[in-house]
Amino acid sequence: MTDQKQQSIALSELPVDELIRYGCDLGLGLDARMGRGEMLRLVRQRQELLLEIDREALLDIVVWARRPVRQSASKEQLVKEIATIGKMDFEKLSDRGLNAYARLRDVPLYTGEPRPDIEARIRVYEPIVDRLRRKRRRVVGALIGKVVSGPKHPKDEEYRFLPEADGGPSLREDISDEGVVGGIARRLKGAADDYLRTKMDEIEARIDRKLDEIDLRLAEWRDREIANRLKMIKITLVASILVALLSLGYNYLVRNG
Amino acid sequence: MVIRPIMAVDFDLFIVYRWLLALVCTIYVVVTVGQSLLGWWIYFHGSRYTAVLGRYTAVLLLRIRIRRFAWDLCQIVVLLVVLGAILYGHRFLHLD
């Protein structure tokens, strides 16, 4: 109860932008124009809903959408992942997963309702913008899939959760398993591996940052080029309109002159 | 019998101008675009590395956000409508 009260106080002290981001992570479409009170109400309502929904149902949804999560992920982490799902093919989703998905999308549910009706209602409740975006992405995906041939995965490959972060035996267990020298050597090797892994991650992150920067600059250049082309088209059209007007005036004078 | 030069019959400066402009512009556009596309095609199929670059370019083009150019596109549509209306207006001058 005390935790809930503290959480509530912390929530009300959040700045608006962070509150919006938190709401979006919970799958809510918050807007700064809503007003702080309304946003807080919606976030609390969503938190209450999360308390009601079974964690296993949320796991069913991420497995169905094949999102990379740890099995030990919290409900909020799972909901954050679920909020980005735009899939509407519910064939492989369990019943409890479907119910949870519908509730997270604010789709009303009725007791004893057949599954196809729930699926149909979820589709009806999908905003038209999202539907159009999904269809556009499907087309773009098909096009990119043709251009960029990635590795092929078998369709029915079993879903695997991400490995847990804090795994591995302790030093005590290592020593009891392999003796003092073997245990310490293994631990040192593990430390060296960790160091190398960290360094490799840092290098990878640096390369990724650089590539992102290049990508961003290229995208800016592309947009600038397109804007220039559009400007040229507009100038050409304006010139054409002026000539057409001249032609109209000339014709009028010839006819009535 | 009066002999008149062919061009003197129904000669319209703007019709000639329009046809000439359309002809020159169409040929120019076809040749320029064709040359450009051919150049890029040859470049992107030159080696394994440029092929990757070609794929990246395709992805970059597919990632264009139309919404960003919505205002410019709207202006172009309006200008096209205006142009169409003025061209359509020419019909009324030729109706007798």
Side-chain angles (χ1 to χ4, degrees):
Chain A
M1 192 69 190
T2 321
D3 281 354
Q4 213 172 356
K5 202 176 172 184
Q6 279 175 347
Q7 199 184 20
S8 179
I9 292 165
L11 203 63
S12 58
E13 283 171 358
L14 276 179
V16 175
D17 55 335
E18 282 186 31
L19 192 63
I20 290 173
R21 198 177 308 136
Y22 180 60
C24 290
D25 286 350
L26 293 178
L28 293 167
L30 298 184
D31 193 340
R33 285 169 293 183
M34 275 179 175
R36 194 182 173 76
E38 177 66 7
M39 283 196 278
L40 278 171
R41 189 186 68 76
L42 287 170
V43 168
R44 281 179 189 139
Q45 202 177 352
R46 180 49 59 101
Q47 284 176 330
E48 280 166 22
L49 179 67
L50 284 186
L51 288 175
E52 287 171 25
I53 293 176
D54 188 15
R55 196 172 153 277
E56 295 302 315
L58 297 178
L59 279 174
D60 281 358
I61 299 173
V62 288
V63 169
W64 159 71
R66 303 189 76 83
R67 293 302 168 108
V69 290
R70 293 198 172 93
Q71 201 162 11
S72 60
S74 66
K75 276 185 177 180
E76 290 197 356
Q77 285 171 326
L78 293 173
V79 168
K80 185 180 176 181
E81 205 57 55
I82 290 167
T84 60
I85 297 172
K87 212 173 157 183
M88 283 289 153
D89 171 24
F90 304 107
E91 200 188 331
K92 288 179 184 169
L93 181 60
S94 66
D95 287 346
R96 63 180 182 186
L98 185 71
N99 284 348
Y101 192 69
R103 292 181 74 185
L104 287 170
R105 299 274 154 132
D106 296 326
V107 176
L109 291 174
Y110 306 104
T111 43
E113 199 176 14
R115 189 186 160 98
D117 288 1
I118 302 173
E119 290 180 7
R121 198 171 305 115
I122 294 175
R123 287 195 191 98
V124 169
Y125 269 72
E126 185 188 16
I128 194 152
V129 180
D130 288 358
R131 193 177 302 172
L132 288 173
R133 189 183 298 141
R134 187 161 52 82
K135 291 196 189 298
R136 178 174 59 85
R137 282 181 177 170
R138 190 187 295 170
V139 173
V140 173
L143 281 171
I144 294 177
K146 278 181 189 169
V147 177
V148 185
S149 51
K152 288 186 173 58
H153 298 291
K155 267 197 166 180
D156 293 325
E157 193 187 2
E158 200 187 336
Y159 176 84
R160 279 175 292 181
F161 287 103
L162 288 176
E164 299 297 333
D166 49 355
S170 64
L171 178 63
R172 197 172 168 183
E173 285 166 342
D174 277 344
I175 291 172
S176 63
D177 284 347
E178 299 182 31
V180 177
V181 178
I184 291 173
R186 174 184 270 261
R187 184 43 59 111
L188 283 173
K189 189 172 168 288
D193 284 348
D194 283 347
Y195 177 76
L196 271 178
R197 196 163 49 232
T198 314
K199 284 289 159 201
M200 292 297 276
D201 284 348
E202 276 174 21
I203 293 166
E204 199 181 329
R206 211 178 298 160
I207 293 169
D208 282 349
R209 261 203 310 276
K210 209 42 133 183
L211 284 174
D212 285 346
E213 204 179 302
I214 292 168
D215 191 51
L216 193 73
R217 281 189 188 179
L218 279 171
E220 279 171 7
W221 172 78
R222 172 203 65 194
D223 288 352
R224 232 180 5 251
E225 281 297 310
I226 292 171
N228 278 335
R229 297 291 186 276
L230 291 176
K231 199 175 166 185
M232 279 192 267
I233 291 173
K234 275 192 284 183
I235 291 169
T236 312
L237 276 170
V238 169
S240 305
I241 287 171
L242 287 175
V243 173
L245 274 173
L246 262 175
S247 163
L248 197 69
Y250 172 78
N251 272 318
Y252 181 77
L253 285 175
V254 167
R255 303 291 296 176
N256 299 318
Chain B
M1 186 181 166
V2 182
I3 299 168
R4 289 188 303 176
I6 297 167
M7 288 300 284
V9 182
D10 292 335
F11 175 80
D12 190 322
L13 182 69
F14 276 101
I15 288 177
V16 174
Y17 171 76
R18 276 208 298 267
W19 275 107
L20 209 64
L21 192 70
L23 199 72
V24 171
C25 285
T26 309
I27 293 170
Y28 176 76
V29 165
V30 169
V31 170
T32 314
V33 172
Q35 270 182 340
S36 177
L37 287 177
L38 190 70
W40 283 114
W41 179 267
I42 291 166
Y43 176 71
F44 285 138
H45 287 78
S47 71
R48 205 152 56 94
Y49 304 107
T50 50
V52 173
L53 202 62
R55 286 173 187 170
Y56 174 68
T57 310
V59 173
L60 204 66
L61 289 174
L62 286 167
R63 271 172 31 202
I64 292 172
R65 301 241 171 227
I66 300 290
R67 205 179 292 169
R68 195 163 178 179
F69 306 104
W71 177 237
D72 288 316
L73 291 172
C74 277
Q75 285 177 324
I76 288 171
V77 168
V78 169
L79 287 171
L80 276 172
V81 169
V82 171
L83 182 65
I86 295 170
L87 292 180
Y88 188 73
H90 280 71
R91 284 186 175 196
F92 295 106
L93 291 175
H94 295 291
L95 291 175
D96 279 320

